[in-house]
Amino acid sequence: MKLTSLRIITKDIKQSVQFYENAMGLTAQWYTEDFAELSTSSITLAIGSTRTMTLFSESLTASTGSKSSIIEFIVDNVDDEYERIKGITSEIVQEPTTMPWGNRSLLFCDPDGNLINFFTPVSPEAIKKFS
C-alpha cells in the first residue's frame, strides 16, 4: 500500500488553492472548477469543493477544517519559511519551535482552519530519520 494523496474539501476552492500555491511554491493543476491538485515528488495535495462530495454521498457536504490532524511538509529552513508564511496567513498557531523529537516546527492554519506543520529536522536523530 502506498499513500498517494491527501484531499482537502473546502467551501472556497479558489481561496484554498491560491493559499496552498503560495505556501508550497507550486502551481496547481486544475481538472474542473471544483477540483485541483498540487503535486510533489512524494505526495499530491488534492483540493475539492464541497460540491465534489455529493459525488460520494448527498450527506457529505460539510467542510469545517480539522484540528485533529496535521498536514506536514518538510522544508529546508523552517525559520526562513516562517518569514514567508506570516505574509500569507495571520493564523500562526506556533512560531518556529524545536520540538522534543528533534524537529523545528512552524504550525499554522489554512483558510479552512486545517492545521499545517512546516518542519526542519535539527537533531542528529531527526536528520538521520529524514535523510
Side-chain angles (χ1 to χ4, degrees):
M1 186 180 300
K2 180 181 176 184
L3 179 63
T4 59
S5 74
L6 170 69
R7 188 180 311 183
I8 296 170
I9 302 301
T10 180
K11 294 176 186 169
D12 188 338
I13 189 166
K14 289 180 181 177
Q15 177 186 34
S16 290
V17 169
Q18 182 178 10
F19 175 85
Y20 280 99
E21 285 179 329
N22 291 334
M24 297 172 68
L26 299 173
T27 300
Q29 171 69 48
W30 286 86
Y31 293 95
T32 72
E33 66 181 353
D34 291 312
F35 187 80
E37 293 180 337
L38 294 104
S39 295
T40 71
S41 62
S42 59
I43 195 166
T44 295
L45 180 63
I47 304 172
S49 76
T50 53
R51 289 186 296 268
T52 64
M53 295 307 289
T54 60
L55 298 171
F56 297 106
S57 170
E58 289 294 325
S59 64
L60 296 175
T61 58
S63 174
T64 58
S66 174
K67 298 290 192 276
S68 63
S69 59
I70 302 173
I71 304 164
E72 298 189 301
F73 297 91
I74 193 168
V75 298
D76 289 334
N77 186 313
V78 75
D79 294 286
D80 289 346
E81 291 294 329
Y82 172 62
E83 294 304 316
R84 191 175 63 77
I85 291 300
K86 66 183 180 181
I88 65 171
T89 184
S90 60
E91 294 207 41
I92 303 293
V93 176
Q94 174 186 280
E95 294 181 4
T97 303
T98 301
M99 306 307 286
W101 46 88
N103 293 332
R104 189 153 173 79
S105 296
L106 163 65
L107 196 62
F108 59 99
C109 292
D110 73 7
D112 290 303
N114 295 301
L115 288 170
I116 302 167
N117 180 31
F118 278 12
F119 72 95
T120 302
V122 293
S123 74
E125 296 83 10
I127 291 168
K128 182 179 178 183
K129 177 182 177 182
F130 291 102
S131 59

Short mmCIF file of all heavy atoms in Angstrom, two decimals, residues 19 24 35 37 49 52-55 61 65-66 74 78 82 86 89 93 98 108 125-126 130:
data_model
loop_
_atom_site.label_atom_id
_atom_site.label_comp_id
_atom_site.label_asym_id
_atom_site.label_seq_id
_atom_site.Cartn_x
_atom_site.Cartn_y
_atom_site.Cartn_z
N PHE A 19 -3.99 29.76 -1.61
CA PHE A 19 -3.24 29.66 -0.36
C PHE A 19 -2.17 28.58 -0.46
O PHE A 19 -1.00 28.82 -0.14
CB PHE A 19 -4.18 29.36 0.81
CG PHE A 19 -3.46 29.14 2.11
CD1 PHE A 19 -3.10 30.21 2.91
CD2 PHE A 19 -3.11 27.86 2.52
CE1 PHE A 19 -2.42 30.02 4.10
CE2 PHE A 19 -2.43 27.65 3.71
CZ PHE A 19 -2.08 28.74 4.50
N MET A 24 3.16 26.38 -0.75
CA MET A 24 4.03 25.33 -1.26
C MET A 24 4.96 25.81 -2.37
O MET A 24 5.89 25.09 -2.74
CB MET A 24 3.17 24.16 -1.78
CG MET A 24 2.35 23.49 -0.70
SD MET A 24 1.17 22.27 -1.35
CE MET A 24 2.28 21.00 -1.96
N PHE A 35 -12.08 20.99 -8.65
CA PHE A 35 -11.03 20.04 -8.24
C PHE A 35 -9.68 20.43 -8.84
O PHE A 35 -9.56 20.63 -10.05
CB PHE A 35 -11.40 18.62 -8.70
CG PHE A 35 -10.47 17.57 -8.18
CD1 PHE A 35 -10.61 17.08 -6.88
CD2 PHE A 35 -9.47 17.06 -8.97
CE1 PHE A 35 -9.75 16.11 -6.40
CE2 PHE A 35 -8.61 16.09 -8.49
CZ PHE A 35 -8.75 15.61 -7.20
N GLU A 37 -5.10 19.89 -8.06
CA GLU A 37 -4.07 19.16 -7.35
C GLU A 37 -2.74 19.91 -7.40
O GLU A 37 -2.43 20.55 -8.40
CB GLU A 37 -3.85 17.77 -7.96
CG GLU A 37 -5.00 16.83 -7.81
CD GLU A 37 -4.75 15.47 -8.44
OE1 GLU A 37 -3.90 15.35 -9.35
OE2 GLU A 37 -5.40 14.51 -8.02
N SER A 49 -13.94 21.17 -4.00
CA SER A 49 -15.00 21.97 -3.41
C SER A 49 -15.99 21.04 -2.71
O SER A 49 -16.01 19.83 -2.95
CB SER A 49 -15.72 22.78 -4.49
OG SER A 49 -16.59 21.94 -5.23
N THR A 52 -17.95 18.51 -4.76
CA THR A 52 -17.42 17.20 -5.17
C THR A 52 -17.87 16.10 -4.23
O THR A 52 -17.93 14.94 -4.63
CB THR A 52 -15.88 17.20 -5.26
OG1 THR A 52 -15.33 17.42 -3.96
CG2 THR A 52 -15.38 18.22 -6.23
N MET A 53 -18.18 16.43 -3.00
CA MET A 53 -18.56 15.41 -2.03
C MET A 53 -19.90 14.78 -2.35
O MET A 53 -20.16 13.64 -1.96
CB MET A 53 -18.55 16.00 -0.62
CG MET A 53 -17.17 16.43 -0.16
SD MET A 53 -15.91 15.12 -0.30
CE MET A 53 -16.46 14.03 1.01
N THR A 54 -20.76 15.50 -3.06
CA THR A 54 -22.05 14.92 -3.41
C THR A 54 -21.89 13.75 -4.38
O THR A 54 -22.80 12.94 -4.52
CB THR A 54 -23.01 15.98 -4.01
OG1 THR A 54 -22.42 16.52 -5.19
CG2 THR A 54 -23.29 17.08 -3.00
N LEU A 55 -20.74 13.65 -5.04
CA LEU A 55 -20.48 12.50 -5.91
C LEU A 55 -20.33 11.22 -5.10
O LEU A 55 -20.57 10.13 -5.59
CB LEU A 55 -19.21 12.73 -6.75
CG LEU A 55 -19.25 13.92 -7.70
CD1 LEU A 55 -17.87 14.17 -8.30
CD2 LEU A 55 -20.29 13.71 -8.79
N THR A 61 -21.40 17.10 2.77
CA THR A 61 -21.17 18.43 2.19
C THR A 61 -20.56 19.43 3.16
O THR A 61 -20.29 20.55 2.79
CB THR A 61 -22.50 19.02 1.65
OG1 THR A 61 -23.44 19.08 2.72
CG2 THR A 61 -23.04 18.19 0.50
N GLY A 65 -12.79 22.17 8.49
CA GLY A 65 -11.39 22.14 8.88
C GLY A 65 -11.18 21.10 9.96
O GLY A 65 -12.12 20.53 10.50
N SER A 66 -9.92 20.84 10.27
CA SER A 66 -9.60 19.81 11.24
C SER A 66 -8.50 20.25 12.18
O SER A 66 -7.46 20.74 11.73
CB SER A 66 -9.17 18.52 10.53
OG SER A 66 -8.75 17.57 11.46
N ILE A 74 8.08 18.79 5.10
CA ILE A 74 9.46 19.00 5.48
C ILE A 74 10.01 20.12 4.60
O ILE A 74 9.75 20.16 3.39
CB ILE A 74 10.29 17.70 5.35
CG1 ILE A 74 11.63 17.84 6.04
CG2 ILE A 74 10.42 17.26 3.92
CD1 ILE A 74 12.37 16.51 6.20
N VAL A 78 12.93 26.08 8.38
CA VAL A 78 11.62 26.49 8.88
C VAL A 78 11.61 27.96 9.29
O VAL A 78 10.58 28.63 9.16
CB VAL A 78 11.15 25.55 10.01
CG1 VAL A 78 11.88 25.83 11.31
CG2 VAL A 78 9.65 25.66 10.22
N TYR A 82 8.95 30.66 7.90
CA TYR A 82 8.11 31.45 8.79
C TYR A 82 8.00 32.89 8.30
O TYR A 82 6.90 33.47 8.26
CB TYR A 82 8.66 31.41 10.22
CG TYR A 82 7.97 32.36 11.16
CD1 TYR A 82 6.61 32.23 11.44
CD2 TYR A 82 8.66 33.38 11.77
CE1 TYR A 82 5.97 33.10 12.32
CE2 TYR A 82 8.03 34.26 12.64
CZ TYR A 82 6.69 34.12 12.90
OH TYR A 82 6.05 34.98 13.76
N LYS A 86 4.15 34.03 7.29
CA LYS A 86 3.39 35.03 8.06
C LYS A 86 2.88 36.15 7.15
O LYS A 86 2.00 36.90 7.56
CB LYS A 86 4.19 35.56 9.24
CG LYS A 86 5.41 36.35 8.93
CD LYS A 86 6.12 36.73 10.23
CE LYS A 86 7.36 37.54 9.95
NZ LYS A 86 8.07 37.88 11.18
N THR A 89 -0.72 34.29 5.95
CA THR A 89 -1.75 33.93 6.92
C THR A 89 -1.50 34.64 8.24
O THR A 89 -0.36 34.88 8.61
CB THR A 89 -1.80 32.40 7.18
OG1 THR A 89 -2.89 32.12 8.07
CG2 THR A 89 -0.51 31.88 7.78
N VAL A 93 -0.24 29.31 14.68
CA VAL A 93 -0.55 28.63 15.93
C VAL A 93 0.70 28.55 16.81
O VAL A 93 0.62 28.74 18.02
CB VAL A 93 -1.12 27.22 15.66
CG1 VAL A 93 -1.37 26.46 16.94
CG2 VAL A 93 -2.40 27.33 14.81
N THR A 98 11.70 24.30 18.49
CA THR A 98 12.33 22.98 18.42
C THR A 98 11.58 22.03 19.35
O THR A 98 11.45 22.29 20.55
CB THR A 98 13.81 23.06 18.79
OG1 THR A 98 14.45 23.98 17.88
CG2 THR A 98 14.48 21.70 18.67
N PHE A 108 0.59 26.42 11.59
CA PHE A 108 -0.33 27.46 11.16
C PHE A 108 -1.56 26.83 10.55
O PHE A 108 -1.62 25.62 10.36
CB PHE A 108 0.35 28.45 10.21
CG PHE A 108 0.91 27.84 8.95
CD1 PHE A 108 0.22 27.90 7.76
CD2 PHE A 108 2.17 27.21 8.96
CE1 PHE A 108 0.73 27.35 6.59
CE2 PHE A 108 2.70 26.67 7.80
CZ PHE A 108 1.97 26.73 6.62
N GLU A 125 19.34 12.69 15.31
CA GLU A 125 18.39 11.58 15.10
C GLU A 125 17.35 11.95 14.04
O GLU A 125 17.02 11.15 13.17
CB GLU A 125 17.71 11.19 16.42
CG GLU A 125 18.64 10.66 17.47
CD GLU A 125 19.34 11.75 18.28
OE1 GLU A 125 18.99 12.96 18.17
OE2 GLU A 125 20.27 11.39 19.03
N ALA A 126 16.81 13.15 14.15
CA ALA A 126 15.78 13.57 13.19
C ALA A 126 16.38 13.74 11.80
O ALA A 126 15.77 13.36 10.80
CB ALA A 126 15.12 14.88 13.65
N PHE A 130 15.19 11.50 8.31
CA PHE A 130 14.65 12.07 7.07
C PHE A 130 15.67 12.16 5.94
O PHE A 130 15.36 12.72 4.89
CB PHE A 130 14.03 13.44 7.35
CG PHE A 130 12.77 13.34 8.16
CD1 PHE A 130 12.80 13.64 9.52
CD2 PHE A 130 11.57 12.93 7.60
CE1 PHE A 130 11.65 13.55 10.30
CE2 PHE A 130 10.44 12.83 8.37
CZ PHE A 130 10.47 13.12 9.72
#
